[in-house]
Amino acid sequence: MPGFADLVSVDLFEEVLRGEEPPSASAFAPGETITLSRAAQHSAKEDTDRAPGPTTAISHTPGSVAARCMATGRSMVELAAEPGQGGEWAFGPGLAADPAHWPPGNPVIDGAIAADGLTGRITVPLRARGALLGVVAFTRRDRPEAFTADDLILAEELTAKASVAVDNARRYSRERTTALTLQRSLLPQRLPRQEAIEVASRYLPAGTGAEVGGDWFDVIPLSGARVALVVGDVVGHGLHASASMGRLRTAVRTLADVDLPPDELLTHLDDLVLHLSSDLQPAGEFEATGEFGATCLYAVYDPVSRRFTLASAGHPLPLIISPDGTVTPVLAQPGPPLGLGGLSFEATELELPEGSLLALYTDGLVESRERDVDQGIAELQRVLNHSATSLEALCDTVMDAMLPEHRTDDAALLLARTHALDPHHVADWEVEPDPSQVPRARKFAVDQVDAWGMEEASFVTELVVSELVTNAIRYGEPPIRLRLIRDTSLICEVSDASNTAPHLRRARDFDEGGRGLLLVAQLTQGWGTRQTTSGKTIWCAQALP
């Protein structure tokens, strides 16, 4: 345009525009009208011809030239009159050593197109890799010279190159959509409601010119009314990064269910990444390829003690802003990224005032071509400090302020505002290591549950306390401590200084013991064990009446 034709139009199947597989030829019944979408149109008379939007539907009846071209897979040339002498020489005798002659069936002389002011039209099917994508029409109307056989060759070459480009775009769009769908399905669809924190999150993939990455975040409820906050980033882009992200997120949830401290959890996660990397290596190669790695930040917040414990595997540290607007420094040293192996991770513990704002993020939010990481973190801190609003609105403000229009990396953001559990919702008692103390522990628990107005839970609580305290006295080591927590559920915890964890077993018919934990598991929503620096804690949770 306009050196070759006066008007060019490109019609594609709607499936092609959506990045899907185009319909096969067998999908159309004989005599069926084919409906395409006008994807592009350009005219030499731009003041009179406007390119329609991609949603404009174009119907091609069974007898139309376009329909016949798509059905046969062959191009068709229509001329308003017989070509003049020497027309086969195309643009001039110097452009070809031998004249190019028309292929069989072309050209078709149709005087009817002259009524529309046309001198000729070449219709070429868009085909790539055996698939029919649509049809292209090259039209001349204002120039006296008609199309030649060489013009048909040129039109088919142009169309062949365009077909491959369109098909590449379709395949890329399909792969990116698949990766994005997988990525979104592996991210939490709805964050759990927690009394410990108020949370909001955002995830935005890279721009359309880049592949989907492996950023992720998570909020995981833990025992004792605690909550874990996770954010991570898998190296690479595309389906592989999304799938690897899903495996790591599942592994983090599994390890969190065991109630490991942050530094130990990252150590186990590092081992997993090493195993995944070895799975990707060809047989016989034992050196690390570096093809798979990730960064991760794992943090645990306890609303009872207001303690915030975190460990980082090569991931940016969180921003912590106190209610008065001051920034709480996180004096932690991030460990190496996951996948290197052999290096340790260090946990850092902070005590946070109630109402502190936590911002966990991936490097795609703070790093870009226009600014380095330090500048991005300073900008993020400024936005968080000057936006006193709800967390959901604050997430939108941060994403709008921090991300450029043409971003090349994914960005994930997890905001959390801490709460402190009301001291009246926590009761604890130190138990002497004497079996005679079990009735007193039961009475303490029942009186506390009644004081909270939950008399319906007294029976189960009494049974649970009796079993857990008896086990701690019999098998554990002092000091022994009983704690009740009223949160979204009623939590009973018994701690002692022994590191030996109990396990469920099915007692035989004449066994005198072995049924206590089974009863606890049956009467409560869940139970478990977590290791502490001074021993272990056995916990169970039951639904509030």
Side-chain angles (χ1 to χ4, degrees):
M1 276 289 310
F4 180 68
D6 301 316
L7 175 66
V8 181
S9 62
V10 181
D11 298 342
L12 300 177
F13 287 107
E14 183 64 31
E15 291 86 347
V16 175
L17 290 174
R18 294 197 301 263
E20 302 171 2
E21 288 291 333
S24 60
S26 59
F28 299 102
E32 180 183 358
T33 298
I34 302 176
T35 301
L36 306 179
S37 293
R38 179 60 51 87
Q41 177 177 298
H42 193 64
S43 170
K45 295 183 178 180
E46 295 184 2
D47 57 335
T48 58
D49 293 294
R50 300 297 179 185
T55 57
T56 304
I58 306 296
S59 297
H60 298 284
T61 59
S64 67
V65 173
R68 294 203 304 271
C69 286
M70 288 188 286
T72 61
R74 294 193 299 269
S75 306
M76 183 172 292
V77 180
E78 303 167 88
L79 298 179
E82 289 285 349
Q85 186 68 24
E88 68 275 8
W89 291 96
F91 297 113
L95 294 182
D98 297 309
H101 297 285
W102 291 107
N106 282 305
V108 175
I109 308 303
D110 184 3
I113 65 173
D116 297 329
L118 308 182
T119 60
R121 179 168 53 206
I122 300 178
T123 306
V124 185
L126 269 165
R127 299 184 66 88
R129 301 179 177 97
L132 178 64
L133 309 179
V135 66
V136 181
F138 303 88
T139 304
R140 286 182 180 175
R141 55 187 178 188
D142 295 328
R143 65 187 71 197
E145 64 273 16
F147 283 119
T148 67
D150 280 355
D151 291 333
L152 173 60
I153 295 174
L154 178 59
E156 289 180 337
E157 288 180 351
L158 290 171
T159 304
K161 293 181 181 293
S163 299
V164 173
V166 170
D167 194 52
N168 287 344
R170 178 189 67 82
R171 288 167 179 258
Y172 167 78
S173 177
R174 181 181 60 181
E175 180 178 336
R176 187 175 189 277
T177 301
T178 302
L180 186 57
T181 302
L182 176 63
Q183 173 87 327
R184 292 193 181 280
S185 67
L186 293 174
L187 289 173
Q189 304 300 308
R190 182 168 52 102
L191 298 179
R193 187 178 71 86
Q194 288 289 318
E195 293 294 329
I197 55 173
E198 174 192 355
V199 292
S201 63
R202 291 293 184 273
Y203 166 76
L204 285 180
T208 55
E211 292 183 289
V212 177
D215 293 12
W216 93 91
F217 60 88
D218 212 344
V219 178
I220 308 173
L222 301 177
S223 62
R226 299 169 305 135
V227 61
L229 304 175
V230 191
V231 64
D233 186 0
V234 174
V235 174
H237 294 84
L239 283 171
H240 171 68
S242 297
S244 300
M245 177 273 289
R247 286 195 271 185
L248 288 185
R249 179 174 177 248
T250 302
V252 170
R253 279 192 157 265
T254 303
L255 294 170
D257 192 53
V258 185
D259 247 329
L260 293 175
D263 51 341
E264 291 186 26
L265 184 142
L266 291 182
T267 300
H268 286 281
L269 198 61
D270 185 46
D271 292 338
L272 173 66
V273 173
L274 284 174
H275 291 312
L276 292 177
S277 298
S278 63
D279 291 343
L280 295 175
Q281 296 176 20
E285 293 187 9
F286 300 99
E287 294 183 0
T289 61
E291 293 179 355
F292 180 62
T295 64
C296 181
L297 175 74
Y298 184 83
V300 176
Y301 176 68
D302 186 346
V304 178
S305 63
R306 293 185 284 106
R307 288 284 180 178
F308 183 66
T309 309
L310 64 97
S312 170
H315 200 85
L317 297 174
L319 281 177
I320 303 177
I321 299 178
S322 301
D324 59 3
T326 59
V327 177
T328 301
V330 181
L331 302 178
Q333 182 64 37
L338 300 172
L340 296 182
L343 300 174
S344 61
F345 301 96
E346 179 181 344
T348 301
E349 188 174 273
L350 306 169
E351 184 174 336
L352 303 180
E354 182 178 5
S356 296
L357 177 64
L358 311 176
L360 286 72
Y361 52 89
T362 58
D363 57 2
L365 183 69
V366 296
E367 186 177 13
S368 67
R369 295 174 179 174
E370 291 77 24
R371 60 170 181 251
D372 59 24
V373 176
D374 292 337
Q375 291 175 328
I377 293 176
E379 176 66 14
L380 175 60
Q381 177 182 323
R382 185 192 65 79
V383 175
L384 292 174
N385 257 327
H386 294 81
S387 302
T389 180
S390 69
L391 289 187
E392 290 291 339
L394 185 55
C395 278
D396 293 333
T397 302
V398 169
M399 300 306 262
D400 292 340
M402 298 297 297
L403 294 181
E405 182 178 354
H406 302 289
R407 55 187 179 276
T408 58
D409 196 6
D410 293 21
L413 172 67
L414 180 62
L415 295 181
R417 198 179 301 279
T418 64
H419 299 303
L421 203 62
D422 191 332
H424 295 95
H425 288 184
V426 182
D428 58 359
W429 183 50
E430 190 166 342
V431 181
E432 296 180 12
D434 186 343
S436 64
Q437 296 296 311
V438 175
R440 296 185 61 188
R442 287 200 300 261
K443 185 178 186 307
F444 167 80
V446 171
D447 290 345
Q448 184 60 62
V449 169
D450 291 345
W452 283 336
M454 298 185 295
E455 294 82 358
E456 298 176 22
S458 297
F459 174 75
V460 174
T461 304
E462 186 177 11
L463 187 149
V464 164
V465 168
S466 179
E467 173 60 29
L468 297 185
V469 171
T470 299
N471 280 351
I473 293 174
R474 183 176 299 174
Y475 306 111
E477 297 179 4
I480 300 171
R481 198 165 196 83
L482 168 65
R483 184 168 76 161
L484 298 177
I485 302 175
R486 178 185 176 182
D487 190 44
T488 53
S489 59
L490 178 59
I491 302 168
C492 174
E493 296 182 344
V494 176
S495 305
D496 69 86
S498 171
N499 289 316
T500 304
H503 61 277
L504 280 178
R505 66 180 181 90
R506 293 195 174 275
R508 292 171 294 185
D509 291 342
F510 299 103
D511 286 350
E512 295 184 2
R515 298 176 179 84
L517 279 181
L518 185 62
L519 285 174
V520 171
Q522 293 292 323
L523 294 175
T524 60
Q525 286 181 314
W527 76 280
T529 306
R530 70 172 180 268
Q531 298 295 324
T532 64
T533 55
S534 58
K536 69 175 182 299
T537 296
I538 313 297
W539 62 270
C540 63
Q542 53 181 309
L544 296 179

